[in-house]
Amino acid sequence: MEKVSLYENTIPHETIGEFGGGRVLLRPASPGTGVIAGGGVRAVVELAGIANVLTKCLGSNNPHNMVRATMAALRLLKTPEAVAALRGKTLAELRGA
């Protein structure tokens, strides 16, 4: 089991996961977009509870590598609160409010 950072039914920021020769790009999407992904990437993203996301497979399209690269990308996600803490700012300062 892995913990995944979500922000309003999508991911908080763009990320690229790598495993072997495969790379997966995950981008946040606006509400109503749905899961734009194929094969193993779609299965992993849906099981993680992400409702709106755009993905692109880069490099090798071996299904095993794509699933592992997707998991690596999801592990790299950080919450907005964690990013604000790393930068020594409040969440309002980070968002520009």
Side-chain angles (χ1 to χ4, degrees), residues 4 6 43-50 74:
V4 178
L6 296 179
V44 171
V45 168
E46 286 179 347
L47 288 174
I50 301 170
L74 293 175

Side-chain angles (χ1 to χ4, degrees), residues 23-27 36-37 41 54-59 66:
R23 294 172 47 189
V24 174
L25 168 69
L26 300 178
R27 296 182 68 190
I36 308 298
V41 177
L54 303 170
T55 67
K56 180 68 179 172
C57 295
L58 310 167
M66 291 296 97

Side-chain angles (χ1 to χ4, degrees), residues 8 12 14 16 24-25 30-31 35 37 39-40 43 46-47 50 56 61 63 65 72 76 83-84 86 92 95 97:
E8 297 178 0
E14 184 176 302
I16 296 178
V24 174
L25 168 69
S30 58
V35 176
E46 286 179 347
L47 288 174
I50 301 170
K56 180 68 179 172
N61 61 355
N65 286 348
L76 293 174
V83 173
L86 285 173
R95 290 189 175 151

